[in-house]
Each structure stands twice: as structure tokens, then as C-alpha cells.
């Protein structure tokens, strides 16, 4: 059984850490503004396997720290979670959704109607591009 629900920032930390920055200390995945974010998780039979966090500012929303446990990747769970997030964004009449996408994920996010912008940067050896979808 699959459930997507709002969770706490603390609940996202183990998956963020294991999937995104396993070689950094766990504090590295805690965001200064986590307390004002909304965090969502996909549960498969009561086990949290995919997480994403939303930060709204001026009717625009940034999603951050999107991650699915390694052994569950490529099975469509991330797609379910991102589609649910898109549904919420549209329901709340936000005008733009954006993220700092790892460049190896450009094709993935394109499937969700997101487009690359001209803003590229690197962090800890990983290349990123800002991707966005306007509503
Ligand atoms: C990005 C991420 C969160 C996506 O989550 P996911 O659960 O793997 O997502 P999905 O399974 O829905 O999609 C992943 C791929 O599997 C494919 N897929 C979707 N449903 C599938 C299914 N039922 N069976 C097989 N493959 C499927 C998708 O088309 C997608 O292919 P693509 O990467 O070539 O575009 C996850 O891969 C991840 O945590 N990656 C490492 C961290 C990371 O890069 N995070 C994003 C930073 S910007």
C-alpha cells in the first residue's frame, strides 16, 4: 500500500543523508529554513522510502532534497511523489515551481514539464541547473 503524507523535517533526514550526501555529516542535510518548509513522504507499507521538501516564497515554490531510497529507485515512486507535489502546487495556485536540479536529472524533470533556465552552478563537485515550471 502506498501513502503520501506530510511529515516532519526530522523524518526526512535519514533518507536525505543516505541518498544525497552520504559522505557528509548528517548536519549537512539539515536546512536552516527546514522549520518553515513543508515536508512530504511516500510510505510503502508503512516504510518511508521517498521524501521531498517545499519552500514557498511570494507564490513561488522551491522543492529541495528530493530523494528515494537507493533500493527503491527507478520503480515509479518518485514520480508518484512529484506528481502529488505538482497537484498541491496547482491547487494552492502557486505561480512557479523550481529546483536546483542535479544536471544528471534534467531529462527526468523535463518529463514533469520543467524547463532548464540559464542558471548553472556547482557544489561539492556536483553540477546543478535551476529548472522551473510556470503555472
Ligand atoms: C531523483 C529521484 C528522487 C527520483 O526518484 P525515483 O523513485 O527513482 O523516481 P522514478 O522511479 O519515478 O523515476 C526514476 C526513473 O525510473 C523510471 N521509471 C519510472 N517508473 C518506473 C517503473 N515503474 N519501472 C521502471 N522505471 C520506472 C523513470 O522514467 C525515471 O527514468 P529516468 O531517470 O531515465 O528519467 C531518485 O532517483 C533519487 O533519489 N536519486 C538520487 C538523488 C537525486 O539525484 N535527487 C535529485 C536531486 S536534483
Amino acid at each position: 500500500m502506498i501513502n503520501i503524507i506530510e511529515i516532519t523535517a526530522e523524518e526526512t533526514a535519514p533518507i536525505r543523508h543516505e541518498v544525497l550526501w552520504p559522505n557528509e555529516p548528517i548536519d549537512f542535510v539539515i536546512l536552516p529554513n527546514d522549520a518553515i518548509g513543508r515536508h512530504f513522504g511516500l510510505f510503502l507499507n508503512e516504510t518511508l522510502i521517498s521524501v521531498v521538501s517545499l519552500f514557498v516564497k511570494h507564490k513561488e515554490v522551491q522543492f529541495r532534497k528530493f530523494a528515494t531510497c537507493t533500493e527503491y529507485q527507478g520503480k515509479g515512486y518518485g514520480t508518484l511523489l512529484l506528481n502529488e507535489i505538482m497537484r498541491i502546487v496547482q491547487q494552492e495556485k502557486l505561480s512557479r515551481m523550481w529546483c536546483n536540479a542535479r544536471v544528471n536529472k534534467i531529462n527526468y524533470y523535463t518529463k514533469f514539464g520543467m524547463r532548464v533556465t540559464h542558471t548553472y552552478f556547482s557544489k561539492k563537485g556536483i553540477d546543478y541547473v535551476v529548472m522551473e515550471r510556470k503555472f
Side-chain angles (χ1 to χ4, degrees):
M1 195 183 64
I2 295 169
N3 260 319
I4 296 175
I5 58 169
E6 208 156 341
I7 59 176
T8 64
E10 290 71 26
E11 286 176 282
T12 69
I15 295 180
R16 285 182 179 180
H17 187 229
E18 166 198 321
V19 178
L20 292 164
W21 295 104
N23 299 323
E24 300 293 333
I26 186 132
D27 286 356
F28 190 77
V29 301
I30 310 298
L31 301 170
N33 60 350
D34 262 340
I36 58 163
R38 288 174 71 190
H39 312 276
F40 292 86
L42 183 147
F43 288 80
L44 177 63
N45 301 329
E46 329 256 306
T47 304
L48 182 60
I49 62 163
S50 190
V51 298
V52 68
S53 300
L54 301 188
F55 298 90
V56 178
K57 201 172 169 183
H58 308 307
K59 284 278 174 194
E60 300 194 346
V61 59
Q62 178 185 16
F63 70 89
R64 301 190 67 180
K65 303 281 181 266
F66 178 36
T68 299
C69 290
T70 317
E71 62 269 38
Y72 292 104
Q73 289 175 12
K75 299 178 192 300
Y77 297 120
T79 298
L80 290 177
L81 184 54
L82 210 46
N83 279 336
E84 174 63 8
I85 294 310
M86 294 261 180
R87 194 190 62 74
I88 292 169
V89 167
Q90 292 180 67
Q91 181 182 286
E92 298 190 356
K93 302 208 180 331
L94 301 177
S95 58
R96 177 175 175 256
M97 177 170 188
W98 67 280
C99 71
N100 294 324
R102 293 186 177 192
V103 294
N104 64 354
K105 287 289 173 277
I106 290 176
N107 290 343
Y108 179 70
Y109 291 129
T110 301
K111 296 179 194 171
F112 296 88
M114 301 193 71
R115 297 287 170 259
V116 294
T117 67
H118 298 294
T119 306
Y120 283 81
F121 63 95
S122 295
K123 179 173 123 181
K124 296 232 176 219
I126 296 179
D127 294 325
Y128 293 83
V129 60
V130 174
M131 292 186 74
E132 65 178 11
R133 178 170 167 182
K134 293 179 178 163
F135 294 101

